[in-house]
Amino acid sequence: MEINIREYEGGKVIAVSGEIDLYSSPLLRKQLMVFVKKKESPLLVDFGGVSYIDSSGIATFVEGLKGVMSFGGRMKMFGIRPAIMEIFSFSKLDKVFEIYGTIDDAADSR
Amino acid sequence: MADIGRLIVNIKVPSHPKYLSLVRTVTVKVAEISGMPKSVREHVKLAVDEACANVIRHAYRGDPGKSIGLRYEVTEKGFEVVIDDEGRKAELEKIKGRDLGKVKPGGLGTHFIRRAFEIIKFDGRKRKGNRLRLIRQRKDGKWR
């Protein structure tokens, strides 16, 4: 798994790629918590490069979302591949996470 | 399924999370050889990954110096994975997935395992550690 951070229209984008599992999710959690601590919002998560996610990866994002919501912020995901989306849907988390097709859709949403 | 008869594959990996990717690769490859469609293979891959992650977290409590044995068997009846560890005994009454309607970290792995396999059972005859048997059946040569 790789994590890259970039700016987009004044907000932070976390671009995650590769496989998110029990091995890699602690690194992702650490990065998400840095942004939670800094109260970054909206936090845009680029899922375009994510090829796999397990329950530990999902739990990491749930924790990140709760952290962001604790200060009234928002976390928005975009670019999720169908195979990953299927896992979110099965977990009923597609109703919990803010999910958009593109970065522009995510950034423009109110 | 291609006419391969009975296929058995055994692997043993250290109980370090970095080897889960190896488990996933082998699982998908064996499933592919069995003729399983891609959508089913993905479910099986995730389920076996979750079962091994449970061994690392719960049976071995994060100790990376132990080992996990996996035995795959493909027959005309189905796809079976037997996962062996030498760790703490699983507390069966505590193994239940979280209510999917509740949003909280954790508790999803069990749901992923149940989605992929029709038969899930711990072998009570094993004295030390756990032996988890996961079976995906097929009927008339077709995957359910």
Side-chain angles (χ1 to χ4, degrees):
Chain A
M1 182 197 71
E2 275 189 31
I3 299 174
N4 288 293
I5 310 297
R6 64 179 194 267
E7 299 272 340
Y8 186 81
E9 294 185 356
K12 292 276 190 237
V13 180
I14 304 180
V16 191
S17 58
E19 300 186 319
I20 309 173
D21 65 1
L22 187 64
Y23 180 53
S24 56
S25 59
L27 179 64
L28 176 63
R29 183 185 180 280
K30 196 174 169 185
Q31 185 59 66
L32 283 174
M33 289 309 137
V34 166
F35 288 132
V36 168
K37 206 171 178 181
K38 288 182 179 171
K39 298 191 175 178
E40 289 280 357
S41 178
L43 201 52
L44 303 173
V45 184
D46 183 352
F47 254 81
V50 176
S51 56
Y52 178 79
I53 190 165
D54 72 355
S55 66
S56 70
I58 292 172
T60 301
F61 281 110
V62 170
E63 207 180 332
L65 176 66
K66 289 196 164 184
V68 170
M69 288 171 72
S70 70
F71 61 85
R74 291 170 75 182
M75 185 167 79
K76 304 174 182 182
M77 300 170 167
F78 65 93
I80 302 176
R81 295 180 189 184
I84 305 296
M85 195 63 197
E86 192 268 337
I87 293 171
F88 281 174
S89 301
F90 174 77
S91 313
K92 298 190 176 170
L93 290 169
D94 55 334
K95 305 275 191 295
V96 176
F97 293 133
E98 283 192 58
I99 296 172
Y100 301 91
T102 66
I103 189 167
D104 288 324
D105 294 342
D108 293 345
S109 72
R110 292 176 185 269
Chain B
M1 167 177 153
D3 188 16
I4 57 167
R6 184 169 176 238
L7 171 69
I8 295 175
V9 176
N10 284 291
I11 63 167
K12 198 170 191 176
V13 296
S15 58
H16 191 293
K18 71 180 174 187
Y19 295 103
L20 288 174
S21 62
L22 176 61
V23 169
R24 292 195 294 271
T25 300
V26 174
T27 302
V28 161
K29 210 64 206 172
V30 176
E32 192 181 324
I33 290 168
S34 78
M36 211 179 263
K38 191 176 181 201
S39 58
V40 180
R41 289 201 301 265
E42 290 302 310
H43 290 183
V44 164
K45 175 177 78 171
L46 178 57
V48 174
D49 178 298
E50 296 287 350
C52 291
N54 283 343
V55 169
I56 293 171
R57 278 191 294 218
H58 304 300
Y60 289 139
R61 293 182 167 177
D63 182 348
K66 305 293 184 183
S67 64
I68 305 171
L70 293 103
R71 180 183 191 275
Y72 301 85
E73 182 170 354
V74 180
T75 64
E76 60 184 21
K77 287 183 178 174
F79 179 98
E80 180 183 78
V81 189
V82 179
I83 302 172
D84 268 287
D85 69 67
E86 303 296 322
R88 282 195 315 147
K89 283 279 182 198
E91 295 176 73
L92 298 181
E93 66 280 4
K94 287 187 180 175
I95 301 175
K96 58 177 183 180
R98 71 158 159 84
D99 178 348
L100 286 174
K102 290 183 179 171
V103 181
K104 62 172 191 175
L108 281 174
T110 307
H111 290 290
F112 292 142
I113 295 169
R114 286 198 184 122
R115 178 174 69 159
F117 293 100
E118 290 113 351
I119 300 172
I120 301 160
K121 55 186 178 186
F122 280 97
D123 187 341
R125 293 168 299 179
K126 179 157 175 159
R127 287 190 175 178
K128 189 184 174 204
N130 303 285
R131 176 170 294 143
L132 177 62
R133 196 175 293 274
L134 306 171
I135 301 171
R136 175 112 191 175
Q137 297 170 311
R138 59 175 148 196
K139 197 174 181 184
D140 301 327
K142 291 183 179 172
W143 294 104
R144 298 181 186 191

